[in-house]
């Protein structure tokens, strides 16, 4: 199944408390559970003003539906072509 990176503009994201991050995560988990087994959140990276979330999903539409239902921004959704890491160069 395809993987996607979702770029979410969220000013002040890097200053969110552990409790706020837990609340956001709980909301995302609930929306995912409601949408069904086709969408999976793998992990997210938090920067000063953005979140970069990695999801597995059949298409961009369900990613956007997750954002709509959860009230999350989804400023850019990009389908990953492949992954590389240091071992790729070996």
């Amino acid at each position: 199944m395809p993987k996607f990176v979702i770029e979410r503009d969220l000013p002040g994201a890097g200053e969110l408390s552990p409790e706020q991050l837990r609340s956001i995560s709980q909301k995302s988990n609930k929306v995912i559970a409601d949408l069904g087994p086709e969408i999976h959140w793998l992990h997210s990276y938090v920067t000063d003003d953005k979140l970069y979330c990695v999801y597995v999903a059949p298409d961009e539409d369900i990613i956007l539906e997750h954002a709509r239902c959860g009230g999350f921004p989804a400023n850019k959704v990009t389908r990953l072509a492949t992954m590389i890491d240091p071992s790729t160069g070996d």
Side-chain angles (χ1 to χ4, degrees):
M1 193 169 317
K3 285 185 184 175
F4 295 86
V5 174
I6 302 98
E7 183 177 323
R8 304 181 192 279
D9 291 342
L10 188 62
E15 297 177 13
L16 292 170
S17 69
E19 293 79 20
Q20 289 170 308
L21 292 170
R22 184 179 315 108
S23 177
I24 291 168
S25 298
Q26 288 171 339
K27 176 68 173 179
S28 180
N29 290 338
K30 180 176 182 339
V31 173
I32 287 169
D34 291 345
L35 288 175
E38 293 185 316
I39 181 170
H40 301 279
W41 173 28
L42 299 180
H43 53 268
S44 296
Y45 301 95
V46 180
T47 67
D48 288 341
D49 293 315
K50 293 183 187 254
L51 275 83
Y52 296 90
C53 304
V54 181
Y55 279 67
V56 175
D59 54 45
E60 184 177 335
D61 290 341
I62 196 165
I63 299 288
L64 295 173
E65 181 66 7
H66 171 268
R68 187 189 69 74
C69 291
F72 307 120
N75 303 92
K76 185 172 182 182
V77 178
T78 304
R79 183 176 173 161
L80 296 175
T82 193
M83 288 179 53
I84 62 171
D85 63 29
S87 68
T88 307
D90 293 342

